[in-house]
Amino acid sequence: MESSTFNDSHPIYDNQESLPVNGSTCDAYRVKLYGKLHFMKRLKPQYANDIRYREALRKEFETGFSLEHSHLVRYISCDDTSIVMEHVDGDTLQHLLTTDPAYFTKKKNTDRLLLQLLDAVHYLHSHQVLHLDLKPANIMLTHVNHDVKLIDLGCCKTDSFIDTQGHTEQYAAPEQLSGGDVDNRTDIYAIGKIIEQLPNHHIYNKVISKCTAHDKSQRYQSVDELKNDIRQKSNIRQFTFIILMVVTLVNMALVLYNLLKSDNPEQQPAPQVPVVDTIIQRTVIQQDTLVIKVDDVKKKEPAVASEQQVLNELQSEILKAYESTIKTFNDSVFPPLQPSPDGVNYWGLATTRFNNQVKESVNRLSDKYPHISPSLLEMEASQRFQGLVGTVFNKMRENHPSQKQ
């Protein structure tokens, strides 16, 4: 590339607007060429005649010009002291985290952001390019659809350009700070630090921990591995939501069924107790991971107690739960036959509380006595629960005036 001075190498643009996103060595402009907006990055006057900065600019352009990806900014042209790129109608992630943090509190939005960013970084790595300056200021999100556009290859490393200049300390991996060897895991470290800046970063705690391990061998070994982990966790959260919705709808249907059948209590069949589906009775959510508790061997020493002693303890707890929830309904008329003035189904609420307390007792005793089969406790609890609910249910029906002589 023929050298020239700072003053005689600038093309003439139809319009040139200075932008408030200047870097340490370059100024930024929005320019119009043949009626189309572009982004221009130009060396500051004090660096314009320094061959080191000119070569760094040339490296960035030649690397970027050879790449084509929907989530990478396109490089269009250059001269000795400036680069022209496509204009991105959007804002940086750094700006949006300050002005619109609510957008990033939704998991589907952050998952979408991360998966698009990872697609772009994977593409770079597959073309033997390390970005080495991944940070919120170098990630743009378009105003339409909030699509990712990764920018600024000024610090990149390639097979052809192995010398890199600069990094951002907050996002730099230990090997960058110490001048050690960098590889794709160096970019993965920065991605973990970026995720830390998200408002809902706690749902990615395990991902962050693995990305930012000090030892490179303990990090994700590829972007694909990281991307698959995020996708898997997203699918688990969706599955959990669907299961909870199904259970809620089933319980609502049972309540509605009882209401519809309440006009003829003499023909009303045995009650369908609104018990939470046993498929997820032992399901809990820990951070962003679905954990199914199974009858595995606990690592603690088992308590010394016979099977009958444990069952007696369970029965005692169920009785306490019964007395604090549905016992008072023995003197009532079945609520669906005599709705409360405020329209609240107090019987449904009470049985749900009773059910929840019984489940808590089963889980606690399963943990306390690992040598006792959880299925035995669950079966005993289910029988006791349904027996007590059925007894109170029938008592309320007997209290109805239509049942009295």
Side-chain angles (χ1 to χ4, degrees), residues 338-364:
Q338 191 179 46
S340 62
D342 56 4
V344 176
N345 184 357
Y346 290 104
W347 168 248
L349 293 175
T351 54
T352 298
R353 286 196 301 271
F354 184 25
N355 177 59
N356 291 338
Q357 291 183 33
V358 170
K359 287 193 301 175
E360 289 173 2
S361 294
V362 169
N363 290 340
R364 189 184 65 78

Short mmCIF file of all heavy atoms in Angstrom, two decimals, residues 338-364:
data_model
loop_
_atom_site.label_atom_id
_atom_site.label_comp_id
_atom_site.label_asym_id
_atom_site.label_seq_id
_atom_site.Cartn_x
_atom_site.Cartn_y
_atom_site.Cartn_z
N GLN A 338 -71.85 -24.59 48.01
CA GLN A 338 -72.22 -23.38 48.74
C GLN A 338 -71.03 -22.40 48.62
O GLN A 338 -70.24 -22.24 49.54
CB GLN A 338 -72.51 -23.70 50.20
CG GLN A 338 -73.15 -22.53 50.95
CD GLN A 338 -73.45 -22.91 52.39
OE1 GLN A 338 -72.62 -23.49 53.07
NE2 GLN A 338 -74.65 -22.57 52.85
N PRO A 339 -70.88 -21.77 47.46
CA PRO A 339 -69.70 -20.92 47.21
C PRO A 339 -69.59 -19.80 48.23
O PRO A 339 -70.59 -19.28 48.73
CB PRO A 339 -69.98 -20.36 45.80
CG PRO A 339 -70.98 -21.30 45.20
CD PRO A 339 -71.82 -21.78 46.35
N SER A 340 -68.37 -19.43 48.55
CA SER A 340 -68.15 -18.32 49.46
C SER A 340 -68.57 -17.02 48.78
O SER A 340 -68.54 -16.91 47.56
CB SER A 340 -66.67 -18.25 49.87
OG SER A 340 -65.87 -18.02 48.72
N PRO A 341 -68.95 -16.01 49.56
CA PRO A 341 -69.40 -14.73 48.98
C PRO A 341 -68.36 -14.09 48.07
O PRO A 341 -68.70 -13.41 47.11
CB PRO A 341 -69.68 -13.87 50.22
CG PRO A 341 -69.98 -14.85 51.30
CD PRO A 341 -69.09 -16.03 51.02
N ASP A 342 -67.09 -14.27 48.38
CA ASP A 342 -66.06 -13.63 47.56
C ASP A 342 -65.64 -14.50 46.38
O ASP A 342 -64.74 -14.14 45.61
CB ASP A 342 -64.82 -13.30 48.40
CG ASP A 342 -64.24 -14.51 49.10
OD1 ASP A 342 -64.74 -15.63 48.88
OD2 ASP A 342 -63.30 -14.32 49.90
N GLY A 343 -66.27 -15.67 46.19
CA GLY A 343 -66.00 -16.51 45.04
C GLY A 343 -64.71 -17.31 45.13
O GLY A 343 -64.32 -17.95 44.16
N VAL A 344 -64.03 -17.31 46.26
CA VAL A 344 -62.77 -18.02 46.40
C VAL A 344 -63.03 -19.48 46.75
O VAL A 344 -63.86 -19.78 47.62
CB VAL A 344 -61.88 -17.38 47.49
CG1 VAL A 344 -60.60 -18.20 47.68
CG2 VAL A 344 -61.55 -15.95 47.11
N ASN A 345 -62.33 -20.40 46.11
CA ASN A 345 -62.47 -21.82 46.39
C ASN A 345 -61.51 -22.18 47.52
O ASN A 345 -60.39 -22.65 47.31
CB ASN A 345 -62.14 -22.65 45.14
CG ASN A 345 -62.36 -24.14 45.38
OD1 ASN A 345 -62.70 -24.58 46.48
ND2 ASN A 345 -62.17 -24.92 44.33
N TYR A 346 -61.96 -21.93 48.76
CA TYR A 346 -61.10 -22.16 49.91
C TYR A 346 -60.76 -23.64 50.10
O TYR A 346 -59.69 -23.98 50.61
CB TYR A 346 -61.76 -21.60 51.18
CG TYR A 346 -61.80 -20.10 51.20
CD1 TYR A 346 -62.99 -19.41 50.95
CD2 TYR A 346 -60.65 -19.36 51.43
CE1 TYR A 346 -63.03 -18.03 50.95
CE2 TYR A 346 -60.68 -17.97 51.42
CZ TYR A 346 -61.87 -17.31 51.18
OH TYR A 346 -61.89 -15.95 51.17
N TRP A 347 -61.66 -24.50 49.69
CA TRP A 347 -61.38 -25.93 49.79
C TRP A 347 -60.20 -26.30 48.86
O TRP A 347 -59.29 -27.03 49.25
CB TRP A 347 -62.62 -26.72 49.42
CG TRP A 347 -62.38 -28.19 49.21
CD1 TRP A 347 -62.47 -28.88 48.04
CD2 TRP A 347 -62.02 -29.16 50.21
NE1 TRP A 347 -62.20 -30.21 48.22
CE2 TRP A 347 -61.91 -30.42 49.56
CE3 TRP A 347 -61.79 -29.09 51.58
CZ2 TRP A 347 -61.57 -31.58 50.22
CZ3 TRP A 347 -61.44 -30.26 52.25
CH2 TRP A 347 -61.34 -31.48 51.58
N GLY A 348 -60.22 -25.79 47.66
CA GLY A 348 -59.11 -26.05 46.74
C GLY A 348 -57.79 -25.54 47.27
O GLY A 348 -56.76 -26.21 47.17
N LEU A 349 -57.81 -24.34 47.86
CA LEU A 349 -56.58 -23.77 48.41
C LEU A 349 -56.07 -24.61 49.58
O LEU A 349 -54.87 -24.85 49.73
CB LEU A 349 -56.82 -22.33 48.86
CG LEU A 349 -57.12 -21.30 47.76
CD1 LEU A 349 -57.45 -19.95 48.38
CD2 LEU A 349 -55.93 -21.17 46.82
N ALA A 350 -57.00 -25.05 50.44
CA ALA A 350 -56.60 -25.81 51.62
C ALA A 350 -56.01 -27.16 51.23
O ALA A 350 -55.00 -27.61 51.79
CB ALA A 350 -57.80 -26.01 52.55
N THR A 351 -56.64 -27.86 50.26
CA THR A 351 -56.11 -29.16 49.85
C THR A 351 -54.75 -29.01 49.17
O THR A 351 -53.88 -29.89 49.32
CB THR A 351 -57.09 -29.87 48.89
OG1 THR A 351 -57.41 -29.00 47.79
CG2 THR A 351 -58.35 -30.27 49.61
N THR A 352 -54.56 -27.91 48.45
CA THR A 352 -53.25 -27.68 47.82
C THR A 352 -52.18 -27.47 48.88
O THR A 352 -51.07 -28.01 48.79
CB THR A 352 -53.32 -26.45 46.90
OG1 THR A 352 -54.27 -26.71 45.84
CG2 THR A 352 -51.95 -26.17 46.27
N ARG A 353 -52.50 -26.68 49.94
CA ARG A 353 -51.54 -26.48 51.03
C ARG A 353 -51.24 -27.81 51.73
O ARG A 353 -50.09 -28.10 52.08
CB ARG A 353 -52.08 -25.45 52.03
CG ARG A 353 -52.03 -24.01 51.53
CD ARG A 353 -52.19 -23.03 52.69
NE ARG A 353 -53.44 -23.22 53.42
CZ ARG A 353 -54.58 -22.61 53.10
NH1 ARG A 353 -54.62 -21.79 52.07
NH2 ARG A 353 -55.66 -22.82 53.83
N PHE A 354 -52.28 -28.58 51.97
CA PHE A 354 -52.12 -29.89 52.60
C PHE A 354 -51.19 -30.77 51.76
O PHE A 354 -50.25 -31.39 52.26
CB PHE A 354 -53.50 -30.54 52.76
CG PHE A 354 -53.49 -31.85 53.48
CD1 PHE A 354 -52.48 -32.19 54.39
CD2 PHE A 354 -54.50 -32.78 53.26
CE1 PHE A 354 -52.49 -33.39 55.07
CE2 PHE A 354 -54.53 -33.99 53.94
CZ PHE A 354 -53.50 -34.31 54.84
N ASN A 355 -51.45 -30.80 50.45
CA ASN A 355 -50.63 -31.60 49.53
C ASN A 355 -49.17 -31.16 49.56
O ASN A 355 -48.24 -31.98 49.62
CB ASN A 355 -51.19 -31.47 48.12
CG ASN A 355 -50.33 -32.22 47.09
OD1 ASN A 355 -50.15 -33.42 47.19
ND2 ASN A 355 -49.81 -31.50 46.13
N ASN A 356 -48.94 -29.85 49.55
CA ASN A 356 -47.56 -29.33 49.56
C ASN A 356 -46.83 -29.70 50.84
O ASN A 356 -45.64 -30.07 50.82
CB ASN A 356 -47.56 -27.82 49.38
CG ASN A 356 -47.98 -27.39 47.98
OD1 ASN A 356 -47.89 -28.18 47.04
ND2 ASN A 356 -48.45 -26.17 47.83
N GLN A 357 -47.51 -29.61 51.97
CA GLN A 357 -46.88 -29.97 53.24
C GLN A 357 -46.56 -31.46 53.30
O GLN A 357 -45.51 -31.86 53.83
CB GLN A 357 -47.80 -29.58 54.41
CG GLN A 357 -47.93 -28.07 54.60
CD GLN A 357 -48.78 -27.71 55.81
OE1 GLN A 357 -48.78 -28.44 56.81
NE2 GLN A 357 -49.51 -26.60 55.73
N VAL A 358 -47.43 -32.29 52.74
CA VAL A 358 -47.17 -33.73 52.72
C VAL A 358 -45.94 -34.02 51.86
O VAL A 358 -45.08 -34.82 52.24
CB VAL A 358 -48.40 -34.50 52.19
CG1 VAL A 358 -48.05 -35.97 51.93
CG2 VAL A 358 -49.55 -34.41 53.18
N LYS A 359 -45.85 -33.39 50.71
CA LYS A 359 -44.68 -33.59 49.84
C LYS A 359 -43.40 -33.15 50.52
O LYS A 359 -42.36 -33.81 50.40
CB LYS A 359 -44.86 -32.81 48.53
CG LYS A 359 -45.89 -33.42 47.58
CD LYS A 359 -45.77 -32.80 46.20
CE LYS A 359 -46.00 -31.30 46.26
NZ LYS A 359 -45.79 -30.67 44.95
N GLU A 360 -43.45 -32.03 51.24
CA GLU A 360 -42.27 -31.56 51.95
C GLU A 360 -41.84 -32.58 53.02
O GLU A 360 -40.64 -32.81 53.22
CB GLU A 360 -42.55 -30.21 52.60
CG GLU A 360 -42.68 -29.07 51.59
CD GLU A 360 -43.13 -27.77 52.25
OE1 GLU A 360 -43.30 -27.76 53.48
OE2 GLU A 360 -43.32 -26.78 51.53
N SER A 361 -42.80 -33.19 53.68
CA SER A 361 -42.48 -34.20 54.69
C SER A 361 -41.82 -35.42 54.04
O SER A 361 -40.83 -35.96 54.56
CB SER A 361 -43.74 -34.63 55.43
OG SER A 361 -44.27 -33.57 56.20
N VAL A 362 -42.34 -35.85 52.90
CA VAL A 362 -41.76 -37.00 52.20
C VAL A 362 -40.32 -36.71 51.79
O VAL A 362 -39.41 -37.51 51.98
CB VAL A 362 -42.61 -37.37 50.97
CG1 VAL A 362 -41.88 -38.38 50.10
CG2 VAL A 362 -43.96 -37.92 51.41
N ASN A 363 -40.10 -35.52 51.21
CA ASN A 363 -38.75 -35.16 50.77
C ASN A 363 -37.78 -35.08 51.95
O ASN A 363 -36.64 -35.54 51.87
CB ASN A 363 -38.78 -33.82 50.02
CG ASN A 363 -39.48 -33.93 48.68
OD1 ASN A 363 -39.62 -35.02 48.13
ND2 ASN A 363 -39.93 -32.81 48.15
N ARG A 364 -38.25 -34.47 53.03
CA ARG A 364 -37.37 -34.31 54.19
C ARG A 364 -37.01 -35.66 54.79
O ARG A 364 -35.86 -35.92 55.15
CB ARG A 364 -38.06 -33.43 55.25
CG ARG A 364 -37.15 -33.01 56.40
CD ARG A 364 -37.91 -32.23 57.45
NE ARG A 364 -38.91 -33.05 58.12
CZ ARG A 364 -38.64 -33.94 59.07
NH1 ARG A 364 -37.39 -34.13 59.46
NH2 ARG A 364 -39.60 -34.64 59.64
#
